[in-house]
Amino acid sequence: MADVENLTDLFIHKLRRVYDAEKRLIKALPALHDAASSPDLKAAFQTHLEETEAQLDRLDRVFGLFNEKPDADTFHAIKGAIKDGEDAVTLDAEAAVKDAALIAAAQDAEHIEIASYGTLRTWAVALKKVEAVHALEWTVEEEKATDKRLTEIAKTLNYRAAEAPKEA
Ligand code: FE
Ligand code: FE
C-alpha cells in the first residue's frame, strides 16, 4: 500500500479490489448456475449475475466521481471463495449435497462483498461523496438480499442433503 497517503487513496485502493471481485464473479457465476440442480438456486445465481453486471457499471461511476479510471487490483479473499466455488462445481456428490457446497462458496463471496462495500460506504460518508454513498449503499443491499435468499434456499436443500445416502 505504498501509494496510500490519505483516506481517498485508501478508498480507491479498496475500490480497485471490489472491482476485481465483481469482474471475477461475472466470470464465475455462470458455472455455478450450470452446476446447480435446484431451480431456485439456478434462478438465484442468474439474478445475481445480472445484478453483478450492474454493480460493475455502478463501480465505473464511483471511479468517475473520484476522477479515477476504473482499474482492478487482485482481491485475494474473493479469489479464494471463487476457488471453493470451482471445487464445488466439480464435486461428484448427490445433487443436494453439491448444491449445499455451491451455496457455501457463494455465501462466503457475498459476506466478503458485504464487508467490503460496507467499509467503502462508510469511508464515502466520511469523504462527503454523497453520490458514491448512494451507489455503494445500493450494492451492499443487493449483496445482503442475495445472502438472505441463499440462506432461505439452503434451509430447504440442507434437509435433502442430510438425507443423501452415506457411502458404505
Ligand atoms: Fe457484487
Ligand atoms: Fe454478490
Side-chain angles (χ1 to χ4, degrees):
M1 281 205 265
D3 53 337
V4 172
E5 288 176 359
N6 55 43
L7 191 62
T8 301
D9 295 343
L10 192 61
F11 179 93
I12 297 301
H13 175 86
K14 197 163 183 68
L15 201 63
R16 290 186 183 136
R17 272 147 183 81
V18 296
Y19 196 71
D20 179 71
E22 302 299 11
K23 287 181 107 166
R24 286 178 192 276
L25 290 164
I26 287 168
K27 276 196 216 146
L29 277 164
L32 299 191
H33 166 274
D34 292 349
S37 296
S38 148
D40 284 350
L41 185 55
K42 266 191 194 296
F45 285 142
Q46 182 58 39
T47 302
H48 201 49
L49 173 60
E50 287 157 22
E51 286 171 344
T52 302
E53 284 164 350
Q55 290 170 357
L56 192 72
D57 292 342
R58 220 171 280 142
L59 286 175
D60 280 335
R61 269 206 297 123
V62 176
F63 276 109
L65 294 168
F66 283 80
N67 299 313
E68 291 277 341
K69 272 202 290 79
D71 198 5
D73 259 343
T74 305
F75 194 164
H76 295 282
I78 278 286
K79 248 180 110 173
I82 289 173
K83 175 72 177 69
D84 286 345
E86 287 165 356
D87 289 348
V89 165
T90 59
L91 210 60
D92 182 23
E94 202 266 334
V97 174
K98 185 164 174 163
D99 280 355
L102 293 168
I103 292 172
Q107 286 195 287
D108 279 353
E110 294 315 313
H111 282 228
I112 293 164
E113 292 190 284
I114 290 164
S116 292
Y117 276 107
T119 297
L120 283 167
R121 178 199 49 197
T122 304
W123 287 345
V125 170
L127 293 166
K128 300 189 169 62
K129 292 281 191 180
V130 178
E131 269 189 74
V133 172
H134 289 154
L136 295 164
E137 181 75 37
W138 187 342
T139 296
V140 84
E141 291 306 321
E142 276 179 351
E143 310 294 20
K144 283 184 192 169
T146 301
D147 181 53
K148 240 178 129 179
R149 186 173 176 186
L150 291 171
T151 295
E152 289 307 316
I153 295 169
K155 276 185 196 165
T156 314
L157 286 183
N158 287 348
Y159 287 105
R160 263 181 253 161
E163 284 162 14
K166 290 185 185 75
E167 284 204 25

